[in-house]
Structure formats: C-alpha cells, structure tokens
Amino acid sequence: MAIAYTRQQVSKYIKATINIPYHLRNITNNQKQVVVLIDKLQPDIKEILNSFFEKYPGIKTSIIDEAGNINKFLSVYLNDKNINRLNSLETKLNEDNIVLSFRPSLAGG
C-alpha cells in the first residue's frame, strides 16, 4: 500500500524506510518495507521505532523487550551499521537516506 505525502509534510519531517523481515510481515500486512516520517527536531532511532509502533502496535513486543531495549534475539541496522556499535536507540540521524533493518542475532556455541 503506497501512501502519498504532501511536500509540506515531507519538508517538516525526515523519511525513514524500515525493512521488515519475513517472520514479522504478517503484522505489517505482508509489506516488505514500511515508510515512516519523523519530526526533524528529534531525529533518532527511538523516534523512528515509536512512529513505526504507532502504525503497527502489535510488532513492538517482537522488537523491544520489557526493559525498553532491543530484543536480544534481534539486531537492528541503520544503513547496514549495527546500532549497538553506534549509540543504540539514541543514535542521532541526519537527512540522508535512512534505512532501518531488523535481522536475527547470530549466536555462537
């Protein structure tokens, strides 16, 4: 489903694309990607996720644990960089191409 945004909406907000892994697509109406707009005044990963959770509240428990952190079985990437190697949920954003992806965490054993 495509959503049209006016030029005024886009100029006030930063657009972020979220890639949805296959195992969570049933919650997003089988969409592979979801686009959210976040306020330019508070651009960080947490703001992207909050906007995403407003659209799809049922997905939050699959991504965020009870303590408010990223689920330990999931890795979140910002433009192919693991956010745990950045500033986690508080990672600040700029207006460049913002793509957020969720990937299962790999564990050794």
Side-chain angles (χ1 to χ4, degrees):
M1 170 181 15
I3 298 174
Y5 296 105
T6 66
R7 224 178 240 163
Q8 183 179 12
Q9 286 175 308
V10 174
S11 66
K12 184 179 177 187
Y13 297 96
I14 295 173
K15 180 176 100 171
T17 301
I18 302 172
N19 293 322
I20 310 300
Y22 182 78
H23 71 282
L24 296 177
R25 290 183 190 162
N26 62 323
I27 301 171
T28 61
N29 302 318
N30 293 316
Q31 294 181 80
K32 294 178 182 179
Q33 291 185 327
V34 172
V35 173
V36 296
L37 296 178
I38 56 172
D39 193 319
K40 285 184 178 181
L41 298 177
Q42 301 172 3
D44 62 16
I45 302 259
K46 189 180 285 186
E47 187 68 21
I48 291 175
L49 291 177
N50 286 338
S51 182
F52 179 53
F53 298 150
E54 285 178 21
K55 284 180 142 179
Y56 304 99
I59 204 166
K60 184 174 183 176
T61 57
S62 297
I63 297 171
I64 301 294
D65 66 17
E66 293 175 0
N69 300 311
I70 299 295
N71 184 318
K72 66 181 178 180
F73 301 110
L74 194 66
S75 294
V76 179
Y77 288 79
L78 173 64
N79 300 335
D80 293 322
K81 293 180 184 170
N82 189 324
I83 67 166
N84 289 327
R85 294 187 179 156
L86 301 170
N87 198 19
S88 193
L89 294 173
E90 285 74 36
T91 300
K92 298 295 180 195
L93 308 170
N94 57 36
E95 293 186 45
D96 292 340
N97 187 26
I98 299 170
V99 178
L100 204 62
S101 303
F102 306 109
R103 300 176 191 162
S105 293
L106 301 176

